[in-house]
Amino acid sequence: MVRRSMNRNQLHDQNLKFVLQQIFNNHPTSRIEISHQLHLNKSTVSSLYNTLMAEGYLTELGLGEASTAGGRKPTLVEINQNYGYTLTFDLGYRHLHALATRLDGHVWQYDRIETKDQSIHEMVARIQQYIADTQAADTSSNGLLGICFSIHGIVMNNKVVTSPFIKMDGVDLEQVFTDAYQVPVVLENEANLSAVYERDFNGARNLNSAVTISIHRGIGAGVILHRDLFRGEHGDAGEIGRTVASLQFDDAGNARPIHAEDICSEDAIIQQVEERKGLSNLDRDDIVRLYKDGDAETTRILKTFVTGIAGLIYNTMRTLDPDAFFLNSPLVEELPGILDDIRIAYRKLSENDDRGIELTNNARLATVLGGCSLITHRVLNLNGYELNFTRPKAKDTEI
């Protein structure tokens, strides 16, 4: 008797999640449409619907059109934007990217905050101030619902394992922010979040597997296999920037590995151009300008970059065999002709393999939007359920 009751409760909870998923993915929709899509009877859907409505997750929009067979006009419904909001912070070396989104995934506000040379303690204080500002401006029913952090390093079990660009100094982000705000706090690698963005917002919606290669200060890959994020047993999956590209020997015959990101990351490119040209304090904009001006040294360095990235894609293809690749690279976004060069170099290596190599649209937002998906899944208790988000319009994310 107890087992039957538990199974009944489990079925109820599962159907409740299915209904919530349907409303999230098909807004606006109606109870009759949900009934058709889930093959549940109308009374079951109405009971589940009323539960979600009572909990405040839904808002009714009025009457829709009657079916061609006639009958009553259905009541249209969607996720209640005013239920609350989530926050995602990308802890970059130079900037803190902050994104506030409503429960349905629509962008409320986006900000980029200068944090170069700040300690993790200063960044935490700035994040807490940002949260206080959003709480003061918020008019939703439940306020802050959850926080996601995008980490440029390895994350395992919601802890930062390695952080090569920001010294964590013992700061446990999950504990600090859970204690302060009493909401779910999720940490994830930034390349993994870029892959989630492609799956849930962008070009990989209809793909079973995809790899997103993130090229910034380092190089990492987010891997989607069978629609799920693949992290590996220790969180190291996708650390392709650390793969050995060559060995350098000293006079004693000792080998030093040269990693892929030592050659092909954005920082590596800037460093090489500075060394070749005797310059200092260059940034991405300077590299773009020099390349467009036809500078010979910059052109040669970027040619090596093309070959290196094509090689990484080829090696990853041989290992994982995904449906497609996406490049999250602000540099390539600024110089789109390089993408064609990468495709050509890859096809030569792969003997004309024609799988897609695409550029991530709006690369600066990919990680924080991926974080929006991750924390929204958590807040709605829909981990493992596919949610389709709408990519924001440019005006929604202007700084």
Side-chain angles (χ1 to χ4, degrees), residues 33-168:
E33 182 61 26
I34 295 168
S35 177
H36 289 157
Q37 291 294 326
L38 296 180
H39 306 291
L40 295 173
N41 65 56
K42 296 177 184 178
S43 62
T44 298
V45 170
S46 289
S47 174
L48 298 167
Y49 176 96
N50 290 337
T51 298
L52 293 171
M53 182 64 72
E55 292 176 353
Y57 287 116
L58 311 181
T59 185
E60 292 182 339
L61 304 176
L63 298 178
E65 295 296 323
S67 70
T68 55
R72 296 170 57 184
K73 292 183 178 181
T75 299
L76 298 179
V77 64
E78 67 180 8
I79 297 294
N80 179 14
Q81 281 198 25
N82 199 47
Y83 183 88
Y85 69 97
T86 63
L87 289 169
T88 299
F89 297 99
D90 178 33
L91 276 63
Y93 173 70
R94 297 178 180 89
H95 297 97
L96 173 70
H97 297 265
L99 182 75
T101 46
R102 300 299 183 186
L103 185 61
D104 63 352
H106 282 87
V107 172
W108 172 24
Q109 66 184 54
Y110 165 75
D111 294 282
R112 188 180 68 180
I113 302 160
E114 180 74 34
T115 56
K116 187 176 181 182
D117 298 327
Q118 288 188 8
S119 71
I120 185 62
H121 303 286
E122 292 171 309
M123 294 177 75
V124 165
R126 184 64 187 87
I127 291 168
Q128 290 171 330
Q129 180 59 55
Y130 190 89
I131 293 174
D133 292 343
T134 60
Q135 289 176 321
D138 173 53
T139 59
S140 68
S141 302
N142 297 283
L144 180 63
L145 302 172
I147 303 169
C148 181
F149 288 102
S150 168
I151 304 298
H152 293 246
I154 297 174
V155 175
M156 190 64 181
N157 297 325
N158 227 28
K159 309 294 181 187
V160 178
V161 178
T162 61
S163 176
F165 309 124
I166 298 174
K167 184 179 179 182
M168 296 305 296

Side-chain angles (χ1 to χ4, degrees), residues 158-385:
N158 227 28
K159 309 294 181 187
V160 178
V161 178
T162 61
S163 176
F165 309 124
I166 298 174
K167 184 179 179 182
M168 296 305 296
D169 199 25
V171 172
D172 185 331
L173 292 172
E174 180 187 25
Q175 182 177 344
V176 168
F177 286 88
T178 299
D179 290 348
Y181 302 101
Q182 299 300 304
V183 297
V185 176
V186 176
L187 279 66
E188 187 54 82
N189 168 267
E190 61 89 18
N192 287 348
L193 291 178
S194 292
V196 171
Y197 165 72
E198 290 294 350
R199 182 193 66 187
D200 294 345
F201 281 87
N202 205 30
R205 282 185 189 271
N206 301 314
L207 300 178
N208 192 45
S209 62
V211 173
T212 299
I213 297 177
S214 182
I215 308 167
H216 298 280
R217 200 166 184 215
I219 299 176
V223 180
I224 300 292
L225 294 179
H226 307 296
R227 302 296 296 168
D228 289 329
L229 183 62
F230 178 70
R231 300 179 178 87
E233 294 298 325
H234 307 96
D236 286 325
E239 290 295 311
I240 61 174
R242 302 302 296 165
T243 56
V244 176
S246 64
L247 294 173
Q248 189 175 74
F249 293 89
D250 61 20
D251 293 339
N254 300 311
R256 182 177 74 87
I258 306 298
H259 300 108
E261 62 189 15
D262 297 333
I263 304 168
C264 299
S265 68
E266 204 170 281
D267 268 25
I269 291 168
I270 291 171
Q271 182 179 349
Q272 291 170 60
V273 172
E274 287 178 341
E275 290 174 353
R276 296 277 183 89
K277 298 190 69 61
L279 300 173
S280 60
N281 299 317
L282 298 183
D283 59 18
R284 183 191 309 132
D285 292 338
D286 296 315
I287 302 301
V288 170
R289 176 180 53 79
L290 287 166
Y291 183 78
K292 287 182 175 179
D293 288 346
D295 179 74
E297 287 91 349
T298 304
T299 300
R300 280 194 293 272
I301 290 166
L302 286 177
K303 186 175 180 180
T304 301
F305 165 78
V306 165
T307 303
I309 296 300
L312 279 177
I313 294 172
Y314 175 77
N315 290 339
T316 306
M317 181 272 289
R318 289 300 180 195
T319 305
L320 297 174
D321 190 28
D323 292 317
F325 289 91
F326 296 88
L327 299 184
N328 177 351
S329 168
L331 179 62
V332 178
E333 196 169 25
E334 291 282 340
L335 298 171
I338 287 180
L339 178 62
D340 291 329
D341 295 338
I342 291 171
R343 287 170 174 155
I344 291 168
Y346 168 76
R347 288 187 180 121
K348 287 180 180 178
L349 289 171
S350 64
E351 299 178 344
N352 295 318
D353 178 73
D354 62 354
R355 76 191 66 209
I357 301 173
E358 303 297 336
L359 188 65
T360 291
N361 291 315
N362 207 347
R364 69 189 173 91
L365 291 177
T367 55
V368 286
L369 288 172
C372 160
S373 172
L374 221 59
I375 193 62
T376 300
H377 275 85
R378 175 74 175 273
V379 166
L380 291 174
N381 196 24
L382 289 176
N383 286 334
Y385 290 74

